[in-house]
Amino acid sequence: DLVYFQPKVSVSEHCVVGAEALTRLQNEDGSIIPPDVFIPVLESSGKILELDWYVMRFVFSKIRDWLDEGKKPQKISVNLSKIHFYYDTLVDDIIREFEKHQISPEYVEFEITESVFFEEADLIISKIERLREYGFKVSVDDFGAGYSSLNLIGILPVDIIKLDKRFVKNSLGNKKGKDIIKGLISILNEIDMDIVCEGIETKEEERIVYEFGCDSMQGYLYDRPIPVSDYEKKY
Ligand code: G
Ligand code: MN
């Protein structure tokens, strides 16, 4: 299996609210190749496009299957590599593929990594606006990982900000960092942005960011990315 789902949970509602679709490639001996290793390789060869499209189609048809089985679909997010944004037909291509499946866009979220916005912001922003007008949710992934400026928060036309796991983890280790995360969450709540904290691994981390005002979490505390058939049994 190529596609894995990792749950996102709501702390206040004590439930799984959706999942992120992730890929795990395997060596011939069955050992897993981590995404930090294969994604840059696939990006430089352009193969990442094929992989993203594969995951996207998989997610659309999975949602279709759930509806056919009479289940209420959870919202599933798909990562879109920055390479997609070089294509002017991106949004049309996504919508064309999506419409084959006869599902509602409310079940689909696209995650776009923060670093996309450092180049050609205008072109990217107009594509994101079109995705949202159509009804998809859009999130900024890995926020705080690179050189995100505060300016970015104001211009990003997105629904959800996912705070980068390393940023959160490093910050929670000291007083100043904690205050920064606290302030950031408070600003994001102030402008009605949904927030997901990534990389939550301990109850203590969960408690701190929950007290700061973030309700949605993702991380090994809840589950790792697991094969979709396992995900369906569990959640
Ligand atoms: O960049 P993005 O946020 O999409 O990365 C998701 C990656 O983060 C996945 O490869 C996933 O396995 C990893 N991940 C998810 N939760 C955790 C966690 O709690 N700890 C660590 N170290 N990695 C995590
Ligand atoms: Mn992601």
Side-chain angles (χ1 to χ4, degrees):
D1 291 16
L2 195 62
V3 184
Y4 283 56
F5 283 178
Q6 184 181 32
K8 296 178 192 172
V9 307
S10 157
V11 176
S12 62
E13 293 171 34
H14 302 281
C15 70
V16 170
V17 291
E20 174 173 4
L22 293 157
T23 46
R24 287 289 177 271
L25 297 187
Q26 286 185 7
N27 281 312
E28 273 162 27
D29 64 4
S31 61
I32 305 262
I33 314 170
D36 330 18
V37 174
F38 72 76
I39 298 222
V41 176
L42 292 181
E43 269 180 348
S44 58
S45 69
K47 287 261 190 253
I48 191 78
L49 295 173
E50 281 170 49
L51 183 68
D52 285 356
W53 279 108
Y54 178 87
V55 174
M56 204 190 307
R57 283 191 201 102
F58 179 94
V59 167
F60 294 165
S61 33
K62 188 47 80 186
I63 292 169
R64 181 68 255 166
D65 292 347
W66 288 338
L67 287 165
D68 291 341
E69 291 159 15
K71 296 178 187 150
K72 166 116 181 70
Q74 289 178 359
K75 191 179 62 170
I76 307 294
S77 64
V78 174
N79 292 280
L80 276 186
S81 157
K82 59 171 176 269
I83 320 278
H84 289 284
F85 289 88
Y86 301 140
Y87 291 83
D88 285 335
T89 57
L90 172 68
V91 178
D92 296 323
D93 293 344
I94 291 177
I95 292 174
R96 187 174 334 101
E97 188 55 45
F98 178 78
E99 289 188 342
K100 292 180 188 164
H101 297 85
Q102 305 280 311
I103 55 180
S104 162
E106 70 188 298
Y107 302 127
V108 178
E109 173 182 325
F110 290 104
E111 299 195 8
I112 299 160
T113 176
E114 166 197 85
S115 62
V116 161
F117 299 95
F118 304 153
E119 320 155 24
E120 309 236 42
D122 293 349
L123 279 176
I124 287 149
I125 285 170
S126 68
K127 291 191 176 77
I128 292 176
E129 280 170 343
R130 286 189 54 213
L131 288 169
R132 289 181 68 211
E133 274 160 25
Y134 187 82
F136 296 120
K137 298 275 181 246
V138 178
S139 52
V140 177
D141 205 1
D142 305 326
F143 188 86
Y147 303 94
S148 21
S149 69
L150 289 175
N151 165 50
L152 205 55
I153 301 180
I155 58 172
L156 288 177
V158 298
D159 308 281
I160 304 143
I161 298 249
K162 296 187 74 183
L163 300 183
D164 179 64
K165 52 184 171 296
R166 278 160 291 252
F167 171 52
V168 172
K169 192 162 290 289
N170 294 339
S171 302
L172 294 186
N174 60 81
K175 164 87 172 77
K176 210 184 220 174
K178 265 196 211 161
D179 287 344
I180 290 171
I181 297 287
K182 183 179 181 184
L184 183 56
I185 291 174
S186 138
I187 291 173
L188 294 172
N189 278 326
E190 195 68 42
I191 60 170
D192 288 322
M193 200 78 96
D194 285 339
I195 312 160
V196 176
C197 269
E198 296 182 329
I200 297 298
E201 294 182 348
T202 66
K203 271 277 165 201
E204 177 67 0
E205 289 167 354
E206 175 193 85
R207 188 188 61 76
I208 297 172
V209 293
Y210 181 69
E211 277 175 11
F212 290 166
C214 175
D215 188 53
S216 305
M217 319 275 174
Q218 184 179 349
Y220 293 171
L221 176 62
Y222 316 100
D223 220 330
R224 294 177 176 253
I226 54 175
V228 173
S229 51
D230 295 344
Y231 185 89
E232 290 178 293
K233 277 178 224 137
K234 267 177 108 170
Y235 305 109

